[in-house]
Amino acid sequence: MRVQSVISGLAAALLFQSALADDPWGSRYEAGNAAGFAITGATILLGNGERLDDADLLVVDGRIEAVGSGLTIPDGIERIAADGRWVTPGLIDVHSHLGVFGTPGYVAHADGNEMSGPNTANVWAEHGIWPQDPGFVTALAGGVTTLHILPGSANLFGGRSVTVKNVPARSAAEMKFPGAPHGLKMACGENPKRVYGQGRNAAPVTRMGNVALKREAWISAARYRDRLAAANDGNGDPPDRDLGLETLAAVLDGEVLIQNHCYRADEMAIMLQMAEEFDFHITAFHHATEAYKIGDLLAETGTCAAMWADWWGFKLEAWDTVRENVAMVDAAGACAVLHSDSADDIQRLNQEVAKTMAAANRAGLDVTPERAITWLTANAVRMLGIADETGTLEPGKAADVVLWDGDPFSVYTRTVKVWIDGVKRLDRGDPVLPPDGDFFHGTRDGVRP
Amino acid sequence: MLAAGRRTVAAWVTALAAALMLPTPVLAEQFAITGAQVHTGGDAGVIERGTVWVRDGRIHRVGADDDVSVPEDVRRIDAAGRVLTSGVFDPYSHIGIEEVSLIEQTVDARYGGDRWGPGFDVRDAINPDSALIPVNRIEGVTRALVMPAASGASVFSGRGAIIHLGGEHDYLVRSPAAMHVQLGESGAAIAEGSRAAALMQVRELLQDASDFADNRRAWERRTRRDYVATRLDLEALQPLLRGEMPLIASVHRASDIRAVLRLAEAHRLRLIIHGGAEAWRVADAIADAGVPVILDPLNNLPSRFETLHATLENAARLHAAGVTIAFGSGGSHNARNVTQAAGIAVANGLPHEVALAAITSVPARILGVGDRIGRLQSGYEADLVLWDGDPLEVTSYPDQVFIAGREIDMRSRQTELRDRYLERLGLGGR
């Protein structure tokens, strides 16, 4: 039976969005023709904590072939002389709402918060993504090649997030990162209790309610998973398919990663206790304005924190942040990531890192550029489950590469060229790369991203 | 309070300074910053190894190290290798009237009722103890125009005040300093539906105010026609009509900018455009009208249909057309980030000194205090920022800030929290 087989094959077919031909929701991304190229004489931040000066990068068939000094460049491969300019991996934004809260930012484009109930684990961000959002092109101009797009934080369980490649597309499926696991967006704190408690006189009203409703959901998810497993072993009927429980069960099976919006240190600590109770792993806390207070705890539990450089004060749970937040989490030995959560900041993630790096060094921490870039590269792909595929310029990985016209940690530096899977997607010297998205086609003149 | 007989010379001088409307200096406080790269913002341009000598809260002398002879007993601050600029002036801010944005009890920027419009004045709500002040001033923000936020039933949001961030009782620099009007899409929403209705509301109030000025007695005797505005509103609009107070109009779309330029010309208003995402498209008309623009250099997305032509080159294009520009960016909590925005404007074609002026001297000038604030030259109030590098660079921070000659404590609750947890987690640091 078709339905039966789908249910029993949940983990394999639905939860791993690998480009299985028979997965209707799988990626339909096609890299395009990668000609191969070499960048010579560059200052290269590999994204893994290493820096190479006056070095070369060789790309063949859309993959990093080699990186190092004095590489032998095969004949017929385009050579780009960097002349000391800088090269980094394509930047990763682990927290974006591009496409689900597109610009122009009218209610008609508000597709990121399914505020019909505090648990909407059943919805998927990729079903709300508008690939013509002009923000994708401006993010590309900022060197962003991979984005993690999440539902909003109105709900305790906001739904599934998705990782995409920053390429022009007609559907979200054409952007979807092949093989990347889904995330489950969860939210702590003020937002759910404001939307439901204050807004609708419904649960949750308090942080206590936030936690209770989540625990109840995990209890249901564990039962759902167990009944499914039992049915697979021939014991009883499988439960009726339930999209929300399917997502939570996939978390319990380790196949969907928890991406948890959570600001305060005490709430992050409570979430880690909840993870102990139900035996799941929280991949990352997002926003985490107080992560610097619990760097040790994050390191112990292997939980990443994705943070801003300096956002604060817009609500009470964002009152206690510090400029050095990201660097302090890193210094405590935890997985530190810098995110945007913004169509503006995503255009200059490198500068946001620079501000934090400089502030941390003034405070006596020792943060080098090659270390700081990991907040946008190696650590970012770790928390998205795509560390084998992109995020660093190591041989074998996808050629997601940015050539900058100077030190990426300067306010005056801009991208020169950007490649995704070895395909050039931005070139400041080429007036039609990137092409304007459909939204701007015929509506404006005289503006380039 | 000291008894008169025990009054010290210091107290007398302080009282005298207050009487003269000067910022209260620490008595006879003098110091000289030497060896800095001094960006004067004035005719002296950039002095590579310069001295700024401050006396009684004001800049006494500025020049090359060799040309300024500072007496032996004046304290010297060696600033070799560092950069000295005037303080950053946020030209459109809610600093002091907004604490936690989502906690309405801590936000005084909005008047939500329908009784007043132009008459609303944020002055009495300004809190010099706001946590936003230390956070921003230790990163170089020394002055702000504190303005009301659009809301309520009137497209006029009310009047704002210029403050300094020195944190003392004398923080008010000028009040009221400017009037705000909200036009464009947001103005249309306030005026219940159309941007044309928003401008109609503005015209009607200006006409009432003008009639009121000529017929005040008759109106008070109730022998003149009724006005839509209250007496406080009508009074508040008088300095606007006399050209004494600037009208700051928040507007983005090119056609909306043209409409407000026509309005300003008809009523001879001192107009400042705020927002101006599409200003570059009507740059010549703005330049011809001599109207300055306060803009966010980072605004490059079509957040609304009225900003379809937003671009990072807005600032450079306006400057090239001869328009005076000032920068506001980052919101009130992060007004400090305007230096980054200015740097990005430079990366997109604006000359560096123009970008620096757009966050220091130009805000002061367009708001009518440019004769005493915003430049490093003799007689100016001593708002000084000593940076560890290029002030527009994202890796630069101030080593020391002075406001009206006062040496600012370079701490905020953010630095205090940082230090507490550096120690708690044994992360080293200083």
Side-chain angles (χ1 to χ4, degrees):
Chain A
M1 260 174 68
R2 172 84 179 140
V3 173
Q4 196 79 5
S5 72
V6 166
I7 291 170
S8 55
L10 275 180
L14 279 174
L15 307 176
F16 273 130
Q17 290 300 321
S18 48
L20 297 178
D22 60 352
D23 177 4
W25 298 112
S27 170
R28 297 174 192 223
Y29 167 75
E30 287 174 14
N33 292 325
F37 62 92
I39 302 175
T40 58
T43 305
I44 303 180
L45 300 179
L46 269 62
N48 61 357
E50 288 176 58
R51 167 182 173 148
L52 303 175
D53 290 301
D54 193 18
D56 310 329
L57 177 76
L58 176 61
V59 169
V60 176
D61 292 333
R63 297 263 147 188
I64 308 290
E65 176 77 13
V67 60
S69 293
L71 295 186
T72 307
I73 313 297
D75 289 342
I77 282 213
E78 183 194 5
R79 299 172 71 108
I80 299 158
D83 294 324
R85 291 178 295 178
W86 294 57
V87 169
T88 68
L91 305 185
I92 318 287
D93 189 3
V94 299
H95 194 112
S96 173
H97 297 298
L98 290 182
V100 293
F101 288 111
T103 46
Y106 300 107
V107 174
H109 274 159
D111 288 312
N113 268 320
E114 177 58 39
M115 289 185 286
S116 48
N119 181 350
T120 57
N122 56 338
V123 306
W124 295 18
E126 64 204 75
H127 299 152
I129 291 176
W130 176 47
Q132 301 299 339
D133 185 341
F136 286 115
V137 175
T138 44
L140 181 68
V144 173
T145 55
T146 301
L147 309 83
H148 185 59
I149 297 175
L150 305 102
S153 52
N155 298 344
L156 301 170
F157 297 93
R160 290 195 193 206
S161 53
V162 65
T163 299
V164 301
K165 289 178 181 268
N166 195 4
V167 294
R170 296 164 301 170
S171 68
E174 290 181 353
M175 305 175 79
K176 197 165 173 176
F177 199 112
H182 272 133
L184 169 62
K185 175 70 178 285
M186 293 182 68
C188 301
E190 289 180 26
N191 288 8
K193 78 192 193 96
R194 183 179 63 250
V195 169
Y196 296 97
Q198 290 171 38
R200 303 185 188 173
N201 198 27
V205 178
T206 64
R207 285 181 161 88
M208 298 187 293
N210 284 354
V211 171
L213 265 57
K214 283 175 187 162
R215 293 175 71 204
E216 284 166 4
W218 291 118
I219 290 166
S220 302
R223 191 163 55 225
Y224 183 84
R225 177 199 55 186
D226 292 345
R227 284 181 61 193
L228 209 53
N232 274 345
D233 294 340
N235 299 322
D237 292 331
D240 285 346
R241 191 173 173 202
D242 181 303
L243 290 177
L245 290 174
E246 199 166 282
T247 294
L248 299 190
V251 169
L252 296 177
D253 287 340
E255 286 152 3
V256 167
L257 311 179
I258 291 188
Q259 308 289 353
N260 191 173
H261 160 117
C262 211
Y263 283 76
R264 279 186 357 199
D266 54 298
E267 287 193 273
M268 289 187 266
I270 285 170
M271 288 307 301
L272 291 171
Q273 289 175 279
M274 189 186 297
E276 267 183 50
E277 180 182 8
F278 295 101
D279 195 26
F280 59 75
H281 181 244
I282 297 175
T283 299
F285 291 116
H286 292 238
H287 311 334
T289 45
E290 296 185 10
Y292 68 97
K293 298 182 182 179
I294 52 164
D296 51 347
L297 194 51
L298 296 172
E300 227 170 77
T301 55
T303 304
C304 298
M307 300 154 276
W308 294 290
D310 50 27
W311 290 24
W312 73 287
F314 42 95
K315 50 181 169 171
L316 198 49
E317 62 193 2
W319 190 236
D320 267 10
T321 200
V322 300
R323 264 225 185 272
E324 299 79 3
N325 194 13
V326 182
M328 286 172 70
V329 169
D330 195 8
C335 162
V337 180
L338 191 138
H339 70 11
S340 81
D341 191 22
S342 153
D344 289 315
D345 283 11
I346 193 174
Q347 301 178 45
R348 51 194 75 92
L349 286 167
N350 50 313
Q351 294 181 22
E352 300 304 298
V353 162
K355 287 191 281 187
T356 303
M357 176 182 75
N361 285 332
R362 283 176 63 91
L365 297 172
D366 181 22
V367 186
T368 59
E370 53 270 30
R371 180 72 187 184
I373 196 79
T374 63
W375 305 338
L376 299 175
T377 55
N379 295 357
V381 291
R382 173 179 157 193
M383 71 175 263
L384 298 184
I386 51 173
D388 293 339
E389 187 56 25
T390 185
T392 65
L393 299 177
E394 293 163 303
K397 284 205 179 178
D400 297 343
V401 181
V402 183
L403 173 65
W404 306 83
D405 64 6
D407 177 351
F409 296 144
S410 164
V411 76
Y412 305 118
T413 297
R414 301 198 308 166
T415 55
V416 179
K417 297 174 196 285
V418 180
W419 294 265
I420 298 175
D421 286 315
V423 178
K424 193 162 65 180
R425 296 290 183 174
L426 176 139
D427 188 340
R428 297 279 181 187
D430 183 340
V432 295
L433 204 64
D436 255 349
D438 290 354
F439 182 73
F440 281 131
H441 209 61
T443 56
R444 69 170 184 186
D445 292 316
V447 179
R448 293 290 301 151
Chain B
M1 191 83 178
L2 292 164
R6 292 177 55 220
R7 262 198 178 175
T8 61
V9 176
W12 282 112
V13 173
T14 303
L16 182 66
L20 293 171
M21 302 285 291
L22 300 171
T24 314
V26 177
L27 177 75
E29 168 71 28
Q30 292 198 55
F31 59 90
I33 298 172
T34 62
Q37 184 190 69
V38 180
H39 292 247
T40 66
D43 297 337
V46 179
I47 303 167
E48 277 309 324
R49 272 171 297 280
T51 292
V52 173
W53 174 8
V54 173
R55 209 166 76 176
D56 298 339
R58 294 200 175 239
I59 294 169
H60 184 56
R61 295 272 187 278
V62 179
D65 284 345
D66 294 341
D67 298 340
V68 181
S69 52
V70 182
E72 283 296 318
D73 58 346
V74 172
R75 178 166 71 106
R76 280 157 204 273
I77 299 165
D78 176 19
R82 291 183 283 176
V83 180
L84 191 67
T85 69
S86 188
V88 172
F89 193 138
D90 181 356
Y92 194 95
S93 186
H94 302 316
I95 289 176
I97 54 172
E98 174 176 332
E99 206 67 16
V100 182
S101 312
L102 273 185
I103 308 279
E104 62 184 34
Q105 293 88 341
T106 71
V107 179
D108 291 297
R110 292 172 187 81
Y111 165 64
D114 58 4
R115 191 165 166 203
W116 299 291
F120 178 63
D121 188 338
V122 300
R123 171 185 178 142
D124 291 331
I126 294 172
N127 175 20
D129 296 328
S130 165
L132 280 72
I133 288 178
V135 167
N136 280 295
R137 73 181 172 194
I138 66 171
E139 295 195 19
V141 182
T142 59
R143 307 264 167 171
L145 173 67
V146 181
M147 287 297 278
S151 63
S154 171
V155 294
F156 282 102
S157 326
R159 293 166 296 167
I162 299 172
I163 63 167
H164 73 63
L165 277 63
E168 304 277 338
H169 57 90
D170 64 344
Y171 53 87
L172 278 174
V173 175
R174 172 172 291 187
S175 166
M179 175 78 73
H180 180 243
V181 65
Q182 179 67 51
L183 300 174
E185 288 188 24
S186 301
I190 296 167
E192 296 185 36
S194 166
R195 59 227 308 142
L199 280 163
M200 223 165 81
Q201 213 184 79
V202 174
R203 283 200 190 87
E204 182 172 38
L205 285 174
L206 291 175
Q207 286 164 11
D208 275 6
S210 180
D211 193 82
F212 172 75
D214 297 338
N215 302 285
R216 189 187 300 256
R217 290 217 164 153
W219 181 79
E220 280 170 359
R221 287 197 306 269
R222 295 183 170 255
T223 59
R224 191 72 188 170
R225 69 172 172 85
D226 287 343
Y227 300 129
V228 292
T230 67
R231 184 179 54 81
L232 290 181
D233 287 334
L234 297 167
E235 295 282 13
L237 288 166
Q238 298 308 317
L240 226 64
L241 294 171
R242 293 194 298 265
E244 295 164 6
M245 181 189 286
L247 174 68
I248 301 183
S250 292
V251 62
H252 284 299
R253 200 171 75 182
S255 64
D256 292 341
I257 292 172
R258 286 194 187 280
V260 75
L261 288 174
R262 288 194 297 271
L263 175 92
E265 192 185 4
H267 291 274
R268 299 174 183 231
L269 303 174
R270 250 180 76 198
L271 179 68
I272 297 173
I273 290 168
H274 171 241
E278 294 194 348
W280 65 271
R281 298 185 72 217
V282 287
D284 290 342
I286 298 171
D288 288 348
V291 169
V293 179
I294 299 170
L295 64 104
D296 179 354
L298 305 185
N299 187 353
N300 72 333
L301 285 168
S303 317
R304 303 169 175 190
F305 267 83
E306 63 188 359
T307 65
L308 285 183
H309 290 80
T311 168
L312 294 176
E313 293 177 20
N314 195 16
R317 293 177 185 183
L318 286 169
H319 171 69
V323 176
T324 299
I325 52 172
F327 295 156
S329 188
S332 300
H333 289 84
N334 281 332
R336 54 188 177 168
N337 282 342
V338 75
T339 51
Q340 179 186 10
I344 289 167
V346 174
N348 287 277
L350 191 71
H352 186 278
E353 284 304 305
V354 176
L356 186 56
I359 60 173
T360 53
S361 59
V362 172
R365 182 153 56 86
I366 66 179
L367 295 170
V369 292
D371 58 341
R372 58 190 178 105
I373 294 167
R375 294 182 174 185
L376 302 186
Q377 62 188 50
S378 291
Y380 273 60
E381 295 181 23
D383 294 351
L384 311 172
V385 184
L386 186 57
W387 306 85
D388 64 359
D390 173 359
L392 307 188
E393 186 54 271
V394 276
T395 48
S396 297
Y397 287 95
D399 285 334
Q400 186 58 54
V401 174
F402 303 84
I403 300 178
R406 294 171 194 146
E407 193 163 355
I408 295 300
D409 180 0
M410 295 296 285
R411 292 181 301 159
S412 70
R413 72 182 299 273
Q414 295 192 354
T415 65
E416 300 284 291
L417 281 166
R418 172 198 68 199
D419 292 345
R420 164 176 285 185
Y421 282 92
L422 281 173
E423 192 185 336
R424 174 85 165 74
L425 272 71
L427 298 178
R430 62 182 171 205

